[in-house]
Amino acid sequence: MDLNFLINLGAFTGSGICIALGAVGAAVGTGITAGEAVNSYARRPEKSKEIFRTMLIGQAVAQNAGIFALVVAIMLLFVDFNNGGNPLIVSSALLSAGICMGMSALLSGYGASLPATEAVKSISRQPLVDSRLFTNMLIGQAICQTPSIFAMVVSLLLMFLKFDQSGVVLPYIGALLGAGLACGMGGMGSSWGGGMAGGACCQGIGRNPEASGPLFTSMLIGQAMSQTPAIFALLISFLLLFKGFGPEDNNFVVLLAMLGAGISMGIGGVGPGIGNGMAAEGAVEGVSKRSDETSNLTVTMLIGQAIAQTPAIFAMLVSFLLIFKSFTPEQNNIVMMMAMLGAGISMGFGGIGPGIGNGMAAKNAALGIAKSPEAGQAITRVMLIGQAVSQSTAIYALMVSLVLLFLI
Amino acid sequence: MIEINGEQIVQAAALLGAGFAMGVGAIGPGVGEGYAAGKAVEGISKIPQEAELLTRTMLVGQAVSESTGIYSLVVALLLIFVV
């Protein structure tokens, strides 16, 4: 039977998923920005020109991720991908490219519109610093965009690289789907979190323009930290893309291990990305209230973020173990397959809650220090105790994953 | 192709179920305990002299919230080792 129809099946399904998911975030986010711009007009009609300019450029930048998704969707529809490769592998690569770009654009578009929303609000509050707000908005947005650029790169690689040189099919299907999931989902939290920090910075400048220097610095540090899960995800995605497979790997166990690796890092990165963003949001808001406590707040933010990062590191560890695990021929059975998939799912989903929870604790700790700096030591101590307890479920998930990996 | 019998299907489903149980089950306690920790530090920033009481209450609350995480762990381990 001619299997070439599979290539179109994968490409068209991927295209639909890509633009369906990718359009949502940017549309919602830029709509909210427009709403706030109208509110700001009503408050300060004399600044309508500046508000309009900031809104329009902010929206254009937030729309970026949606445009990436559109480009990938159109390429999937109209480029001829029949490069002589195995149709099953090409098909799963194209589906994965669509999922990767769509997932990433979903929250990248929304995240990048948060700084724009806060910037147009703040112009009506502090009309004198409109150019400062404009610059800050653009830099904050640029950093939220990073995960969607990663996703674009991975999508292009998935579309245009040729993967099966040796007639091996099954492991490539899992690895390519896993690569798309890891990079697409792993960046979602990072872009939202980066957007929270950028939004808080624009809001803070509107509240306290004298502190715009320290606000900008703490925003950048916070955003850089919340970008980490996206970088972990890119790393896992590249490992999955460029790992070669031999004839001994041509079985379903390796397929599901690779898919599990993608799920673990992809879903496991979402929570820590959002949590780090919350911590940064709290610290930036704190700096806008007490700019004399900037160093104290930044240290608390960094400690809180380091702990919120832990589930992402666990997820990366499980992904590594799944990618580099070798199987004996007797292990080629359905029990082992589901154990590998289960290991990925356990750590992936298990990282969401602790990541977000730790971020909440760190956010309130930073806000608390801004309110009463003299209680800083007690606040940091209690934050750490609370985060340790919240971390325990991530450790349970890691334990279940390791049991599934090594004891079955 | 690989051979599959009924017993293997049951065990495979149990292992996949263990992954889901622990993975999804960890979301709630993680978020909930973080929320409690956040509120505790907020309280300490308002009344620093009551830090001890607030910490104690936070820990009790978190322990209760942890219980569903422990249930998930128990179910996952049962699925892996007993079923």
Side-chain angles (χ1 to χ4, degrees), chain A residues 86 89 166-173 245-255 332, chain B residues 1:
Chain A
N86 185 302
I89 296 179
S166 51
V168 182
V169 178
L170 294 175
Y172 282 105
I173 297 177
F245 298 99
E248 73 280 3
D249 296 322
N250 198 9
N251 55 47
F252 283 100
V253 179
V254 180
L255 188 161
N332 184 14
Chain B
M1 275 315 272

Side-chain angles (χ1 to χ4, degrees), chain B residues 1-76:
Chain B
M1 275 315 272
I2 46 168
E3 286 171 31
I4 298 175
N5 59 39
E7 207 174 305
Q8 278 183 326
I9 292 179
V10 172
Q11 207 194 339
L15 296 183
L16 187 59
F20 265 109
M22 191 61 242
V24 181
I27 297 177
V31 177
E33 286 160 14
Y35 185 80
K39 287 291 162 192
V41 291
E42 200 185 312
I44 292 175
S45 74
K46 276 180 203 148
I47 343 172
Q49 65 275 17
E50 289 291 351
E52 212 173 308
L53 174 72
L54 284 162
T55 313
R56 209 165 50 230
T57 314
M58 173 192 84
L59 280 177
V60 174
Q62 285 184 321
V64 178
S65 165
E66 185 70 37
S67 59
T68 52
I70 295 172
Y71 299 161
S72 308
L73 179 66
V74 170
V75 169

Side-chain angles (χ1 to χ4, degrees), chain A residues 185-242:
Chain A
M185 295 199 73
M188 285 168 81
S190 297
S191 24
W192 192 6
M196 288 182 199
C201 181
C202 290
Q203 193 184 42
I205 291 177
R207 226 182 252 149
N208 182 6
E210 290 83 52
S212 56
L215 278 169
F216 181 65
T217 320
S218 56
M219 173 193 83
L220 276 188
I221 299 175
Q223 284 189 319
M225 282 294 281
S226 59
Q227 228 47 259
T228 328
I231 294 167
F232 290 171
L234 185 69
L235 173 72
I236 294 294
S237 178
F238 276 164
L239 276 179
L240 286 167
L241 278 174
F242 296 113

Side-chain angles (χ1 to χ4, degrees), chain A residues 51-129:
Chain A
I51 293 170
F52 183 70
R53 187 187 63 154
T54 310
M55 175 197 86
L56 210 58
I57 293 179
Q59 285 181 322
V61 177
Q63 210 61 260
N64 238 355
I67 294 170
F68 287 171
L70 182 66
V71 168
V72 169
I74 289 180
M75 282 210 272
L76 285 170
L77 283 180
F78 295 116
V79 177
D80 181 18
F81 291 103
N82 194 351
N83 55 6
N86 185 302
L88 265 172
I89 296 179
V90 178
S91 169
S92 44
L94 298 178
L95 178 63
S96 173
I99 293 175
C100 177
M101 192 63 241
M103 289 270 189
S104 177
L106 176 66
L107 283 188
S108 219
Y110 181 70
S113 67
L114 294 175
T117 306
E118 294 301 334
V120 292
K121 257 199 241 175
S122 295
I123 290 180
S124 69
R125 210 176 281 151
Q126 296 282 354
L128 290 176
V129 290

